[in-house]
Each structure stands twice: as structure tokens, then as C-alpha cells.
């Protein structure tokens, strides 16, 4: 079968022929419906090297793709309750399975992560950027009759903002609340939809790209372009009190600074983007009791909730589809900033 393989640090992936995997005990073989291309993949093959702190868990060689969906093809020993042809979304993270975090379905915060051989399907372990994928049965979330191809990015681009927003819900409870989404790429656009679906807050969105802001407006956001008066305009929309919950899907120093300048007293800033920016903090500059935190991915239970929103038509990723033969082009387009939304490789589509 064809698969997009990460072969070495600072090296662009390769499209290779590999064997179709066989599911082991407790595992399921999926015929891949869709595999999302993510900026985290680009970071792995373009930015990291052997000295990166978790390089041992991300080291080559393996198949990329940690946003995956597919149809059940076969099951391994001891697996019951799955019917061939049924569609599932894959929860990517794989922890030790027995610590407290893993017991609550939060493999992203596995207490034994440092001793694990990989982080997730597609991050150290063979992922979904292939014709077939083997995953633990525990990591499958049913999609029912919903389209599994467009659902693929929800494994990360849906789950990550959902987890961040769910943790911030106490800040958005009640009337007159506001939320700000900074950065309107794949995750930011879905964040706007999630906020509109599960909160009553006024959603403000900001980006440097007019087309990205136009898409956010279609989902019900009030937009503010980047620029010298960005902070003033955002605060004006809140009546001067500031934003109750800010979600930064960039994570660069300037976007973090913007978040700090617009957050309300007792508000919350969640840094979701991994651009590596640093924050400057002082007692008198920080609004009283305003929180600054970060989140990473989410839980299996939350992915079930994301799938519910998708099946109900409350969220829908903006997807550009690529055939397997064009999978490397998807990564080139992602790397070069040519995509609006999410690239999804469809292995069994011409």
C-alpha cells in the first residue's frame, strides 16, 4: 500500500510502498477514509531534529497522519462490537493506558509519557496518511452515517479547540459574555463554530487575512483585522471591559501580547498555538485575577462530543481534498501557506 513516510529530520516526507498492517490483540484495522495534514507534521520534518526534547518518541521512520478516519476492515484478537464497513474517527494520542490521566481518556497528559515509544498514531507510530491504519480499539469514536472524509481533521483541529473552550466555559456562562479567537487557520475556524454552538457568547475573531475573516463572519463571528488599532477595536466591542475568554491559536509573542491587552479582569487567556512565543507579565499590568494558561489536544470523551457536534451539523471543517498520489503536494501547500482550512488526503479516491 502507499503511505506518506517521515524518514529523517529536516527532510521532506516520501510517498512509499509499505505492507498493509495486521491488527494485533485489542486492535482494529481501518481502511482509511481521510487523513488530515497538520502543521505539527511540518514541525516534525521541517523544524525539529535529533536534539528536540521528545525526539526519541518522534524519531524516524513511520507513517505520518494524526488526524484520521476510516472504515472497519478487520479486527484483532479479543476485539468485539465492531462491524466491517462502519465509520470511525481516530483518537490519536496513545498513552500507557493505566495511569490516572489515561484512565480518564486523557492520553495527552499520560504520567508515563517519557517512557512511551511514541506519542500518537502519526506521531512516532504509523498514522493514517496511508491506505490502511491499525489503531487500538479503545481509540475509535463512531461517526454513524456522517461523512468520515471531512470528519478526519476533527481528531485534532476539532478536539484541540473544543478542549480549550470547554475548560473556559465558566468564564462564558451568563449573559453579555465575549470570546476572542486569535488566528483563523484550521483550528481557529472550527473554534468559532464550537463557540457559537455551545456558548451564548459574542464571538470576536481576528486575523491578518481578509479571506479568513470573511469565513469566520459566515460562522457568526464579529471580526477585527490585525493592525495598530486592533486592541482598541476589540476592547470597544466589549464596552471597554475586555474579553472574558481569549483563545490564541498562533502562540507567537505578538499574539500573546494582544491577548494580554484585551483580556478582562477575571478573564482567561488560553494559548493553543505552538509558535513558541514568550509572555511578559507584571502584577500591575495584568488585570486582576486574569488567567494565562495553555492546553494540548483533548480527551477521548471530548472527541465523542466533537463527533456529536459534527453529526448534528453544528461544526464542519473547511476541507481541501487530495488524492494519495498528491499527498506530498498537500504538505507542500500547507508548508507554503497556500491553504485556507484543512488539507485531507483521501487514499481510496482517484
Amino acid at each position: 500500500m502507499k503511505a506518506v513516510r517521515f524518514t529523517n529530520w529536516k527532510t521532506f516526507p516520501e510517498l512509499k510502498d509499505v505492507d498493509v498492517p495486521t491488527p494485533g490483540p485489542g486492535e482494529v484495522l481501518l481502511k482509511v477514509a481521510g487523513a488530515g495534514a497538520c502543521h505539527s507534521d511540518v514541525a516534525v520534518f521541517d523544524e525539529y531534529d535529533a536534539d528536540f526534547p521528545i525526539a526519541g518518541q518522534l524519531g524516524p521512520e513511520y507513517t505520518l497522519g494524526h488526524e484520521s478516519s476510516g472504515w472497519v476492515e478487520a479486527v484483532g484478537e479479543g476485539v468485539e462490537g465492531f462491524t466491517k464497513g462502519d465509520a470511525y474517527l481516530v483518537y490519536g494520542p496513545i498513552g500507557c493506558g493505566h495511569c490516572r490521566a489515561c484512565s480518564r481518556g486523557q492520553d495527552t497528559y499520560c504520567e508515563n509519557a517519557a517512557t512511551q515509544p511514541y506519542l500518537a498514531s502519526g506521531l512516532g507510530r504509523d498514522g493514517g496518511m496511508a491506505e490502511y491504519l491499525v489503531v487500538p480499539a479503545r481509540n475509535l469514536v463512531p461517526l454513524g452515517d456522517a461523512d468520515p472524509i471531512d470528519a478526519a481533521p476533527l481528531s485534532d483541529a476539532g478536539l484541540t479547540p473544543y478542549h480549550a473552550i470547554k475548560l473556559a466555559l465558566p468564564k462564558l456562562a451568563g449573559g453579555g459574555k465575549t470570546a476572542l479567537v486569535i488566528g483563523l487557520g484550521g483550528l481557529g475556524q472550527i473554534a468559532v463554530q464550537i463557540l457559537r454552538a455551545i456558548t451564548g457568547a459574542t464571538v470576536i475573531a481576528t486575523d491578518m487575512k481578509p479571506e479568513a475573516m470573511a469565513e469566520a463572519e459566515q460562522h457568526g463571528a464579529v471580526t477585527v483585522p490585525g493592525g495598530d488599532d486592533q486592541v482598541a477595536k476589540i476592547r470597544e466591542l466589549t464596552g471597554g471591559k475586555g474579553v472574558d475568554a481569549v483563545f490564541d491559536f498562533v502562540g507567537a509573542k505578538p499574539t500573546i501580547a494582544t491577548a494580554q491587552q484585551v483580556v478582562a479582569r477575571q478573564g482567561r487567556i488560553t494559548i493553543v498555538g505552538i509558535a513558541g512565543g514568550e509572555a511578559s507579565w507584571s502584577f500591575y499590568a495584568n488585570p486582576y485575577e486574569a488567567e494565562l494558561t495553555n492546553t494540548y489536544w483533548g480527551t477521548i470523551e471530548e472527541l465523542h462530543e466533537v463527533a456529536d457536534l459534527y453529526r448534528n451539523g453544528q461544526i464542519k471543517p473547511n476541507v481541501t481534498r487530495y488524492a494519495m498520489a498528491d499527498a506530498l503536494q498537500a504538505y507542500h501547500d500547507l508548508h507554503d501557506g497556500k491553504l485556507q482550512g484543512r488539507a485531507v488526503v483521501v487514499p481510496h479516491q482517484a
Side-chain angles (χ1 to χ4, degrees), residues 258-318:
T258 296
Q260 291 178 295
Q261 292 174 68
V262 301
V263 70
R265 289 179 181 176
Q266 298 181 305
R268 177 183 172 99
I269 300 169
T270 306
I271 309 300
V272 185
I274 56 173
E278 296 181 352
S280 176
W281 186 95
S282 70
F283 183 89
Y284 293 107
N286 192 68
Y288 294 132
E289 298 184 27
E291 305 167 2
L292 174 63
T293 189
N294 56 352
T295 57
Y296 173 61
W297 228 333
T299 70
I300 295 176
E301 180 183 21
E302 288 167 339
L303 187 57
H304 279 270
E305 295 168 3
V306 170
D308 287 339
L309 291 173
Y310 177 69
R311 283 196 299 269
N312 293 337
Q314 293 169 283
I315 60 173
K316 181 175 174 56
N318 178 6

Side-chain angles (χ1 to χ4, degrees), residues 11-31:
T11 302
F12 203 82
E14 296 180 28
L15 187 61
K16 289 189 170 185
D17 288 307
V18 298
D19 293 335
V20 175
T22 300
E27 295 181 331
V28 174
L29 176 68
L30 293 182
K31 180 180 179 181

